[in-house]
Amino acid sequence: MNDNWVDAYLARIGAGRPARPDDEALRDLHTRHLLAVPFENLSIHLGEDIVLDPEALVAKVVGRRRGGFCYELGGAFATLLAALGFDVELLAARVFDGDRLGVPYDHMALRVGPWLADVGFGAHTHHPLRLDARGDQPDPGGVFRIAETPEGDLDVIKDGRPEYRLETRPRALEDFEAGCWWHRTSPRSHFTRSLVCSMLTESGRVTLSGRTLIRTVDGERDERELTGDAEVLAAYRSWFGVELDRVPEVAGRLTGRSGGAGAP
């Protein structure tokens, strides 16, 4: 990739090139990414390949103006941060489902210096969290806490409930291929059983779950069923900036031939 992609990526999220890779710049880039790039698993239900390669991820987010799930969003954001001079490491996590943990490499998050940055978990933090803090960390997305486990991992807790268990050992992007494959192919994966496109807004969140448009504005939730493919395609375009030539559908995608990853 030539240097032009960095400026194109920054333009995609409405950010200027930071003067230095400091905490303030990270916070700004993190929030802008959430406001501009949707969390979505559309590729799974459109039969599109998912390639965990920095160039392919940047091409999807920037060139095609799409989003993705944790591996795609985290991988693309890590590529941008590294190009801007940030010290970035990929961390693996397992997502809590009640008291149970998901498969290994269930989720990807980033360690950026002393910060946990996560732009690929859907409704989560708006700002990075301090990995070395053990008290409450208030955020517009909730009250978060980082807690150590007896095994040396870190539990990320939101509003008193554990979200995921984070390993502290750095990983390579290719380490997540098995987890991505499982989520894209297994009928046990929530991504092979659901269709979601969701993005933070200045006043709340907008989500297209199947054909249900859900808008949360200043705490008030509104749901509306969309009728007809044209209305669904228009919603993807107007709310998320996603241009599709056909409506993705979940039906027929439980055969183990395609699927998804991350956490909504």
Side-chain angles (χ1 to χ4, degrees), residues 82-259:
L84 292 172
F86 290 91
D87 180 19
V88 187
E89 294 176 338
L90 310 182
L91 300 181
R94 300 175 69 183
V95 179
F96 279 95
D97 181 6
D99 294 331
R100 300 178 59 186
L101 285 168
V103 298
Y105 299 98
D106 199 18
H107 179 58
M108 177 201 289
L110 311 179
R111 175 165 49 205
V112 188
W115 298 97
L116 173 65
D118 193 343
V119 296
F121 200 73
H124 195 56
T125 62
H126 296 200
H127 311 307
L129 299 174
R130 287 287 303 204
L131 275 168
D132 54 356
R134 295 295 173 262
D136 288 345
Q137 300 190 53
D139 180 272
V143 177
F144 291 83
R145 179 182 287 264
I146 306 290
E148 296 182 32
T149 72
E151 297 77 23
D153 296 325
L154 299 174
D155 281 351
V156 178
I157 301 166
K158 175 183 177 181
D159 296 333
R161 297 181 59 183
E163 297 269 88
Y164 54 79
R165 180 160 293 173
L166 192 69
E167 297 179 359
T168 57
R169 173 184 171 185
R171 300 291 183 175
L173 185 58
E174 55 265 28
D175 293 339
F176 294 89
E177 289 180 355
C180 183
W181 175 84
W182 186 91
H183 277 293
R184 294 177 56 229
T185 60
S186 173
R188 295 173 55 195
S189 166
H190 62 273
F191 277 158
T192 58
R193 295 180 280 113
S194 65
L195 182 63
V196 65
C197 187
S198 184
M199 195 162 67
L200 185 70
T201 68
E202 294 287 356
S203 58
R205 176 167 289 274
V206 59
T207 299
L208 187 53
S209 179
R211 291 174 179 257
T212 304
L213 182 66
I214 306 165
R215 294 181 62 206
T216 304
V217 180
D218 298 328
E220 296 294 325
R221 180 184 173 101
D222 177 71
E223 291 190 21
R224 183 166 65 90
E225 289 296 321
L226 304 183
T227 59
D229 288 1
E231 190 176 15
V232 174
L233 293 173
Y236 279 121
R237 182 172 56 253
S238 61
W239 291 108
F240 308 102
V242 171
E243 293 278 358
L244 300 176
D245 57 9
R246 61 188 173 91
V247 175
E249 299 286 356
V250 174
R253 291 295 178 183
L254 304 184
T255 62
R257 291 176 294 179
S258 60

